[in-house]
Amino acid sequence: MLKIRRFEEKAGQLYGMGLIGGFCHLYIGQEAVVVGMQAAAKPQDTVITSYRDHGHMLACAMDPKGVMAELTGRAGGYSKGKGGSMHMFSREKNFFGGHGIVGAQVPIGTGLAFGHKYKKDGGVCMAYFGDGAINQGQVYESFNMASLWKLPVVYVIENNKYGMGTSIERASSTTDLYHRGRAHGIPGRQVNGMDVQEVRAAAEDVLEHARSAKGPYILEMMTYRYRGHSMSDPAKYRSKEEVSKVRSEQDPIDNLKTLILKRKIVDEAALKEIDREVKTLVSEAAQFAQSSPEPDPGELYTDILIEA
């Protein structure tokens, strides 16, 4: 979680310096969701998410250097500098992308789950999307097919309470989103997405449900992003007091740190050393990104077609 937090803070700095262009959606505040899910995952499982995707990449053990280089549009990036923040992939790590179109990753994730079932590899697809995507028609088409075919997929709704600048109360007639699969017979559960232990416990149960041919499951993670929707969003639709209150009372990293110290798992010095190691890792990623060359113009013509 700390690696994601520090990485995103550095990405925000590079964006402010003009080294990252285009869209950039930070995951600060939501780290416990993907870390808790991945803690319960198996190597054959697949992950797909939306454009707020850097945290998912790091949780899938993708190299921070390659991720940061892609953010800066450099040849050393995972998509050779052509994808940017919202579009990078790693088949080696079973990460099938961030996707820039709202909700578009849900049917693709359902297809990945179909692939797991077809190949009988024991894998489950974790398809992440936000509360802003829940009212998309393609989401419900995916729910229907996943339930009909009992596909091994877990739909993870990262409910950070705001779809861009619109609160969920203003966008959805019903706000308990884990019920949205009821019409298709899909069970659901609401989880405190700011508590990594609670997320992991729920993930262990639900991934086993999907893995044992019982069909899809919906997890609604109640979480919160501290920054705006993207780096260009001043977030004036909510008060600074609201953000400060959540951060002071529910921060997933601070609360876990308190628990670790209370249980005497490690001491304060050990935690500071972890922070130093993470900061070094992120600094090295930023240096690599800035020193990596620009993509060759010939890259515009690659990765367009593949021989069948």
Side-chain angles (χ1 to χ4, degrees), residues 3 11 107 112 190 222 226 243 246:
K3 179 165 66 174
L112 288 169
Q190 193 175 76
M222 304 304 294
Y226 299 159
V243 180
V246 174

Side-chain angles (χ1 to χ4, degrees), residues 87-302:
H87 304 100
M88 52 183 124
F89 309 79
S90 175
R91 292 191 66 177
E92 294 77 18
K93 301 297 183 181
N94 278 337
F95 180 78
F96 287 85
H99 292 265
I101 303 299
V102 175
Q105 72 276 16
V106 180
I108 301 174
T110 305
L112 288 169
F114 180 86
H116 285 306
K117 182 173 182 177
Y118 185 81
K119 292 182 288 186
K120 299 179 181 178
D121 60 10
V124 175
C125 178
M126 287 165 277
Y128 293 80
F129 58 103
D131 52 286
I134 191 62
N135 296 316
Q136 287 273 329
Q138 58 192 330
V139 172
Y140 296 95
E141 292 184 53
S142 300
F143 286 177
N144 178 60
M145 286 189 285
S147 183
L148 180 66
W149 296 332
K150 292 194 179 301
L151 300 183
V153 56
V154 175
Y155 296 109
V156 184
I157 305 170
E158 298 196 70
N159 185 356
N160 60 30
K161 301 177 177 62
Y162 293 93
M164 294 188 72
T166 305
S167 68
I168 187 168
E169 290 81 10
R170 294 178 57 219
S172 294
S173 58
T174 57
T175 56
D176 287 335
L177 304 183
Y178 66 101
H179 290 316
R180 293 296 185 93
R182 277 183 172 179
H184 306 287
I186 302 176
R189 184 187 306 184
Q190 193 175 76
V191 180
N192 178 7
M194 306 297 274
D195 183 333
V196 69
Q197 290 186 302
E198 186 174 330
V199 173
R200 177 175 180 167
E204 288 173 346
D205 289 344
V206 170
L207 286 169
E208 180 56 32
H209 170 97
R211 211 180 302 281
S212 56
K214 294 180 182 177
Y217 206 104
I218 294 173
L219 282 178
E220 181 186 8
M221 299 290 179
M222 304 304 294
T223 186
Y224 197 85
R225 55 172 165 80
Y226 299 159
R227 301 288 185 92
H229 170 72
S230 68
M231 286 298 297
S232 60
D233 173 19
K236 293 182 178 179
Y237 43 83
R238 60 185 186 184
S239 67
K240 291 181 180 179
E241 291 75 20
E242 177 185 313
V243 180
S244 296
K245 181 177 174 59
V246 174
R247 192 160 196 160
S248 64
E249 296 177 0
Q250 301 181 47
D251 187 81
I253 296 174
D254 288 346
N255 287 348
L256 184 61
K257 176 182 176 181
T258 300
L259 184 64
I260 287 171
L261 294 174
K262 181 180 178 181
R263 294 184 179 177
K264 299 181 180 179
I265 298 171
V266 297
D267 60 14
E268 186 81 41
L271 292 177
K272 288 182 178 179
E273 178 59 28
I274 291 171
D275 198 12
R276 279 193 291 270
E277 291 173 0
V278 166
K279 286 179 178 177
T280 298
L281 185 73
V282 170
S283 293
E284 290 173 350
Q287 291 169 8
F288 174 82
Q290 293 174 75
S291 61
S292 183
E294 298 279 347
D296 186 275
E299 276 295 338
L300 287 170
Y301 302 97
T302 65

Side-chain angles (χ1 to χ4, degrees), residues 2-15 26 28 31 68 227 247 279 282:
L2 195 59
K3 179 165 66 174
I4 294 171
R5 176 72 57 90
R6 297 290 180 251
F7 183 95
E8 294 290 65
E9 289 170 349
K10 178 62 73 173
Q13 292 174 9
L14 295 182
Y15 189 96
L26 302 182
I28 297 174
E31 298 91 350
M68 195 69 85
R227 301 288 185 92
R247 192 160 196 160
K279 286 179 178 177
V282 170

Side-chain angles (χ1 to χ4, degrees), residues 46-79:
T46 52
V47 173
I48 191 167
T49 188
S50 67
Y51 39 77
R52 196 179 309 281
D53 52 5
H54 316 150
H56 301 74
M57 298 170 194
L58 297 177
C60 289
M62 289 171 64
D63 187 348
K65 292 180 179 178
V67 177
M68 195 69 85
E70 188 60 41
L71 292 180
T72 55
R74 304 302 178 98
Y78 269 98
S79 295

